[in-house]
Amino acid sequence: MEIHEVLKSVKAGTVSVNDAKKMLSLYSIEEIEGIAKIDINRRKRRGIPEIIFAETKELEEIKKIIKRVLEKSNSVIVSRIKKTDYPKIQAFAKRLKVKIKTGKKSSSLLLFKKPIKFHGGKVGILTAGTSDIGVAEESRLVCEAMNCKCITSYDVGVAGIQRIFPILKKMIEEDVDCIIVAAGMEGALATLVSTMTDIPVIGIPTSVGYGYGEKGIAALASMLQSCSLGLSVVNIDNGIAAGGIAANIANRTIRKKE
């Protein structure tokens, strides 16, 4: 039975609530030719869209998953796309007649059918340097897919500490619900932002850096050891996770205000 038929049957009294629950659970997981199991109801359950990790998948597998997900929902994010596959996935999306949002210096794409409305909360996104932008843009794509408005400012790290004050003032004036900070090297920007505002801050240590604490290790350790309360930390280069957390915080905040 289709979902609307199940609901009609419950209304008519021909199907019990327990039986309907069992039937509807069949719509929770969609299997694609033995290569993937799609969590179709994730968006309704958690507010987070389907995200395809493309780095280790073959192009044809990615295409099949994109097609099936977009049959069931309005949007899908394809993350960490291989350089050779990036233009091919864009071309495939155009053939499907879906819209595309790209990220600066990012290997991720947001594909969607109907225009995404920004009726959720507000998220601020900062980077310490230009090398951190790709990771921050992954966060932006996730937040926008979750209907959040994003205010971004890049290359405002502690090497030129005066750069952070005007944009942080703007974010406070705009009443953002959460701030994401992507920083490599020693990762100090996340602590600085956290100590200057009462807004929840999510730090993303990036793999920018070299020497003793290379590949994001020093930035991760610094953020985890931060003395500033109110700072949470995701894994190295995990812009996707930071975006999901920030948008959930922002969207819950906006619902409380309503």
Side-chain angles (χ1 to χ4, degrees):
M1 294 174 73
E2 295 295 328
I3 291 175
H4 71 280
E5 292 173 339
V6 175
L7 296 175
K8 282 182 180 178
S9 298
V10 172
K11 186 177 180 181
T14 57
V15 172
S16 71
V17 171
N18 286 339
D19 285 343
K21 185 178 178 182
K22 189 184 294 183
M23 291 176 186
L24 291 173
S25 70
L26 297 174
Y27 292 90
S28 297
I29 302 293
E30 186 90 6
E31 187 164 356
I32 303 173
E33 297 180 19
I35 61 173
K37 293 179 177 67
I38 306 301
D39 185 356
I40 296 300
N41 282 331
R42 181 188 295 160
R43 181 70 190 239
K44 292 177 182 175
R45 187 177 71 250
R46 300 196 58 220
I48 297 173
E50 187 64 43
I51 300 170
I52 303 168
F53 179 62
E55 191 172 83
T56 56
K57 291 182 177 66
E58 297 298 323
L59 179 61
E60 290 308 311
E61 293 174 339
I62 297 166
K63 287 180 179 179
K64 287 175 184 176
I65 298 170
I66 288 171
K67 192 166 186 284
R68 187 65 65 86
V69 171
L70 289 176
E71 286 171 0
K72 301 286 184 177
S73 62
N74 183 57
S75 65
V76 61
I77 291 173
V78 190
S79 72
R80 305 299 175 96
I81 303 167
K82 288 176 273 195
K83 193 173 287 188
T84 53
D85 289 344
Y86 192 87
K88 296 173 185 176
I89 292 173
Q90 285 182 305
F92 177 69
K94 288 175 183 176
R95 286 200 298 274
L96 291 178
K97 296 182 179 179
V98 299
K99 299 174 180 65
I100 304 169
K101 274 199 176 193
T102 61
K104 300 171 188 174
K105 299 178 180 288
S106 171
S107 59
S108 299
L109 294 170
L110 168 58
L111 310 180
F112 57 99
K113 295 182 293 187
K114 295 178 183 177
I116 295 172
K117 297 177 181 178
F118 300 131
H119 52 65
K122 292 181 184 178
V123 177
I125 305 176
L126 302 168
T127 74
T130 54
S131 298
D132 306 312
I133 290 174
V135 172
E137 285 284 280
E138 282 188 347
S139 296
R140 182 182 65 81
L141 291 176
V142 174
C143 289
E144 290 187 355
M146 294 173 67
N147 308 108
C148 289
K149 178 184 176 183
C150 294
I151 299 170
T152 63
S153 186
Y154 300 149
D155 194 27
V156 291
V158 298
I161 202 170
Q162 72 282 358
R163 297 173 296 177
I164 190 63
F165 301 117
I167 183 59
L168 199 53
K169 183 178 179 182
K170 180 183 177 183
M171 288 182 178
I172 293 168
E173 287 172 349
E174 288 276 347
D175 198 22
V176 300
D177 304 298
C178 190
I179 298 175
I180 295 170
V181 180
M185 298 300 284
E186 85 285 22
L189 183 63
T191 290
L192 176 66
V193 172
S194 177
T195 201
M196 293 182 68
T197 174
D198 63 351
I199 301 167
V201 176
I202 300 168
I204 313 172
T206 68
S207 54
V208 176
Y210 49 85
Y212 182 72
E214 66 177 351
K215 298 179 181 177
I217 298 299
L220 174 61
S222 175
M223 291 183 189
L224 289 174
Q225 290 288 108
S226 175
C227 289
S228 178
L229 298 177
L231 169 63
S232 61
V233 187
V234 297
N235 211 342
I236 297 169
D237 289 338
N238 201 348
I240 295 290
I245 298 164
N248 261 338
I249 291 171
N251 288 338
R252 283 184 65 83
T253 301
I254 205 74
R255 287 198 298 271
K256 293 287 186 182
K257 288 177 180 176
E258 291 171 351

